[in-house]
Amino acid sequence: MNKFIMYGTFLFLCLAAGSCCSNDHREFVLPPTVEAAPNTLSGVITNMAGEPIEGAVVELGDHSVQTNAEGAYTISNVAAGDYEISASATGMLPASASVKFTKDANEKLLWSVALNRKVSQDLVVTQPDADASGSVESENIPQNEVGAVDIKVDVPANTVQKSTTISITPIYSENDAAATRAQENETMLIGATVKCSDPSITLTAPIEISFALDASVTPYVTAKEYDAATNTWSVVAHTVDAAGNIVIKTTKFTSFGIFLPVSISSTSSTEPVAFAQALFDNRMGDVEWAVKDASFTFKTGTKINTVATNKLQGLLIEHLARLYGSRVTELQGSYPLNIILEPGQGVNLSGSQTTETIIVGSGATTVTGTRYGAVSISVSPFSADHNGGAAGE
């Protein structure tokens, strides 16, 4: 009896083993091949109030695109290299920056910026034998009224002819005064372009241009005027009146700027990127699975962290907003996969986004902001027989 039981058990094990071997005819499965995604540059163009600008033109090398209703844009298929990027819109002062792509594929960089409105105030001299004056206020982002500067032009009597029009336009960087970039060791935080309706006019006496600032700014100021013929800025004399205004006396119609030594530094960290679906697993499937792309959420722009208590802080906040944007916008991205997952194959995605704490300072005064930067996406192919490895990085 015992021999019969042992023989039956042995026979059952042999049959079971044979059955397993005879049914396992599946071929060895390799992970899928995922091509690296093309380089992209994305961002949002807003005004200084943080409102999106639809139809703004963003140019990068040979690429030119327009922003959508949310002020967002994307430039795809960017080759490795150094680029100048610019944004322009009707009624706004343009902005530009330098961008560097270090790889030929899978770099997802961001550039968002806030554009200032182009606003002018005309001073029409109706009585040339009397003193005349006109003023305009510079633009500021919401909750930073201290960053606005009143710019005034005083014209003494008998300086210009009757019906002469003098226009005053606030400018916010060296580039606003010229078609080409004029590099300076110091940074313009506020300025003005002063023009005359009669370009050939000769002033019989100097006019005065004043910038309403305060003691937080005035000790560190260098006043300069722009020479269009040489595309350079030259230091000009200025005085500080009892009200704390910077006053420039001039017989020229050109651009004038208030320059200060400004430093910009940053510290970086990362935060995870959220995918709508990060795992595409066809290991247990029995049919092909076409996967076009994977959508994810990321942020662009800058959150201003400082509340200004004086003019210098207010001006530094405006400078920070012009460079990197004045608000944070959440956008939807799409990582192209364009693969067919055979039965037994899969891919897993992960991602992170750089966040930078930006510190803008002049002397002992600083302001900070949190800027959202480049997005990094990693694709890990795998299969039932192989763990795979990172791809498309």
Side-chain angles (χ1 to χ4, degrees), residues 137-148:
E137 188 176 62
S138 67
E139 192 176 17
N140 61 278
I141 65 172
Q143 286 78 56
N144 189 44
E145 286 73 15
V146 70

Side-chain angles (χ1 to χ4, degrees), residues 86-117:
S86 65
S88 58
T90 302
M92 313 298 287
L93 292 169
S96 63
S98 298
V99 178
K100 183 181 182 66
F101 283 86
T102 60
K103 300 187 296 184
D104 284 320
N106 208 47
E107 281 199 292
K108 300 187 178 302
L109 305 186
L110 298 178
W111 183 67
S112 294
V113 70
L115 302 183
N116 281 102
R117 299 184 190 277

Side-chain angles (χ1 to χ4, degrees), residues 172 187-191 258-260 262 312 315-316 319 322:
Y172 305 90
T187 301
M188 181 199 292
L189 292 184
I190 190 62
I258 302 302
F259 287 74
L260 285 87
V262 174
L312 183 52
L315 290 173
L316 292 175
H319 186 61
R322 285 192 298 273

Side-chain angles (χ1 to χ4, degrees), residues 18-332:
S19 175
C20 290
C21 294
S22 62
N23 289 336
D24 191 8
H25 297 301
R26 179 178 57 80
E27 296 182 359
F28 184 85
V29 181
L30 287 172
T33 299
V34 181
E35 299 294 335
N39 289 341
T40 62
L41 181 70
S42 303
V44 173
I45 310 300
T46 71
N47 59 25
M48 295 300 285
E51 300 165 339
I53 300 175
E54 182 177 5
V57 177
V58 181
E59 296 181 293
L60 178 81
D62 295 332
H63 301 272
S64 180
V65 298
Q66 288 189 323
T67 55
N68 62 18
E70 287 72 45
Y73 73 92
T74 296
I75 297 174
S76 301
N77 300 310
V78 183
D82 296 315
Y83 296 90
E84 284 293 313
I85 184 172
S86 65
S88 58
T90 302
M92 313 298 287
L93 292 169
S96 63
S98 298
V99 178
K100 183 181 182 66
F101 283 86
T102 60
K103 300 187 296 184
D104 284 320
N106 208 47
E107 281 199 292
K108 300 187 178 302
L109 305 186
L110 298 178
W111 183 67
S112 294
V113 70
L115 302 183
N116 281 102
R117 299 184 190 277
K118 188 175 183 179
V119 180
S120 294
Q121 180 65 47
D122 288 340
L123 163 60
V124 181
V125 179
T126 57
Q127 296 179 314
D129 56 348
D131 294 346
S133 65
S135 64
V136 65
E137 188 176 62
S138 67
E139 192 176 17
N140 61 278
I141 65 172
Q143 286 78 56
N144 189 44
E145 286 73 15
V146 70
V149 177
D150 188 64
I151 304 166
K152 184 180 179 183
V153 172
D154 290 303
V155 181
N158 302 312
T159 300
V160 297
Q161 297 176 347
K162 183 178 180 180
S163 300
T164 299
T165 300
I166 297 173
S167 64
I168 316 160
T169 304
I171 58 175
Y172 305 90
S173 75
E174 302 94 305
N175 299 339
D176 295 339
T180 55
R181 191 177 184 89
Q183 296 287 354
E184 290 294 311
N185 293 327
E186 297 167 302
T187 301
M188 181 199 292
L189 292 184
I190 190 62
T193 296
V194 182
K195 293 183 177 181
C196 182
S197 57
D198 181 3
S200 64
I201 194 172
T202 299
L203 295 175
T204 60
I207 62 174
E208 291 186 352
I209 305 167
S210 62
F211 297 85
L213 300 170
D214 65 17
S216 67
V217 181
T218 52
Y220 314 105
V221 164
T222 300
K224 297 184 182 182
E225 67 178 20
Y226 177 67
D227 183 355
T230 60
N231 189 34
T232 57
W233 291 84
S234 300
V235 176
V236 293
H238 72 275
T239 58
V240 180
D241 66 17
N245 299 319
I246 297 289
V247 181
I248 301 170
K249 291 187 177 183
T250 182
T251 57
K252 296 181 180 180
F253 289 102
T254 183
S255 297
F256 302 87
I258 302 302
F259 287 74
L260 285 87
V262 174
S263 64
I264 300 177
S265 61
S266 65
T267 56
S268 297
S269 59
T270 61
E271 63 179 43
V273 168
F275 288 88
Q277 180 177 349
L279 177 63
F280 299 86
D281 190 349
N282 200 29
R283 285 177 296 182
M284 303 301 292
D286 53 11
V287 295
E288 293 179 346
W289 182 5
V291 182
K292 182 180 179 181
D293 52 37
S295 61
F296 59 92
T297 302
F298 65 101
K299 298 173 183 176
T300 184
T302 302
K303 177 187 176 185
I304 307 296
N305 300 327
T306 302
V307 176
T309 59
N310 56 48
K311 276 293 184 191
L312 183 52
Q313 280 190 312
L315 290 173
L316 292 175
I317 287 173
E318 296 298 312
H319 186 61
L320 174 60
R322 285 192 298 273
L323 289 176
Y324 304 118
S326 60
R327 59 172 286 185
V328 175
T329 303
E330 193 171 87
L331 296 177
Q332 297 297 314

